[in-house]
Amino acid sequence: MKRLVGLTLVLLSGGLQAATVSSSKNVELLVVDGKKVQSSIWSSTESVELQPGRHQIVVRFDGELKNGSKKTMYTTRPYLFEMDVPDDDVTITLPRLTTLSQAKAHFNRGVQWQLESSDGSTSLLPYVELQGKGFGAFKDMEALVADYNRQHGITFEQGYAVNLEQTAVEVNEQGEVTISGDALAQLKLWYVKANAEEKAAFYQWAKAQDSQ
């Protein structure tokens, strides 16, 4: 049974209508805009409602496939998309996978995630395959995604995903890096990339500056 979770994170005065982002069979929605998607013990959540705009969505393949005369559960690593959600319903899809060998071959040679619109048109979804460390690396998906976002300068403002590295960092043809943008954008970039100890040290420094 499919579960629909309302993740309408932004209420805009313009009255934009939320779009439904669904996943195809055996594709599990894990994290949306940094927040874990809640699922029951009997079924995973396969649809969320989002306002049109830039969002971050993390999924994985998790399904029962034929393995000779038996059936075997096959679960992949999580895949992260930074995607533009249109003002119409869309579905995150994969080519039809029915056997274990077929699925392993597809993911090993380079999985093709697609975004299918309600009119039937499709487009390829660029992705990042998240890499965990150690046993139980994917147990806390929310923490895993938070660490990825911290490393890559990604934050969420008014419910939308914002890549601060793209906003505040420019690289010329010679590979030289220039920090651009206003002071606020730069502060946000370095803040989201800092770890807990660095943030605490920054708080102390900021207090000292304000008291001068």
Side-chain angles (χ1 to χ4, degrees):
M1 178 183 297
K2 288 189 174 183
R3 300 180 69 241
L4 177 64
V5 174
L7 288 179
T8 309
L9 303 178
V10 186
L11 297 177
L12 301 179
S13 58
L16 288 178
Q17 183 176 354
T20 299
V21 179
S22 304
S23 60
S24 59
K25 183 180 179 181
N26 295 332
V27 176
E28 182 183 5
L29 292 169
L30 300 172
V31 181
V32 175
D33 291 339
K35 301 297 182 183
K36 181 181 177 181
V37 176
Q38 298 299 323
S39 299
S40 73
I41 60 174
W42 296 283
S43 63
S44 61
T45 297
E46 296 173 338
S47 299
V48 293
E49 290 185 352
L50 297 171
Q51 295 288 347
R54 192 74 170 175
H55 293 278
Q56 185 188 76
I57 298 177
V58 180
V59 307
R60 70 181 171 193
F61 180 90
D62 184 28
E64 191 176 53
L65 300 172
K66 293 180 181 179
N67 183 19
S69 59
K70 301 178 181 179
K71 288 188 176 182
T72 304
M73 289 300 299
Y74 180 65
T75 303
T76 68
R77 288 190 176 96
Y79 290 82
L80 181 148
F81 313 115
E82 290 181 37
M83 53 184 282
D84 292 313
V85 174
D87 57 1
D88 202 358
D89 297 345
V90 290
T91 304
I92 298 171
T93 68
L94 283 171
R96 188 167 180 264
L97 303 172
T98 57
T99 68
L100 181 62
S101 59
Q102 181 188 35
K104 286 184 175 180
H106 181 76
F107 282 94
N108 287 338
R109 68 172 176 261
V111 56
Q112 290 190 343
W113 292 100
Q114 292 187 326
L115 192 66
E116 182 177 341
S117 302
S118 56
D119 62 4
S121 61
T122 60
S123 59
L124 286 176
L125 274 174
Y127 62 82
V128 173
E129 184 178 356
L130 295 178
Q131 305 292 324
K133 296 180 180 179
F135 180 77
F138 303 119
K139 185 176 181 180
D140 190 342
M141 289 292 182
E142 199 170 282
L144 181 67
V145 174
D147 185 59
Y148 172 87
N149 288 337
R150 181 183 63 80
Q151 293 180 34
H152 293 83
I154 297 172
T155 187
F156 302 94
E157 297 186 3
Q158 295 184 318
Y160 295 105
V162 178
N163 190 325
L164 292 172
E165 287 190 341
Q166 294 179 355
T167 302
V169 178
E170 294 181 355
V171 182
N172 63 22
E173 294 179 354
Q174 289 72 42
E176 297 172 338
V177 178
T178 302
I179 303 298
S180 62
D182 58 26
L184 180 59
Q186 294 180 33
L187 285 170
K188 288 178 180 178
L189 171 62
W190 296 118
Y191 182 82
V192 298
K193 292 174 76 70
N195 59 33
E197 292 182 357
E198 292 166 339
K199 288 178 179 178
F202 175 77
Y203 287 145
Q204 296 301 318
W205 177 86
K207 289 179 181 179
Q209 300 305 305
D210 290 340
S211 63
Q212 291 180 3

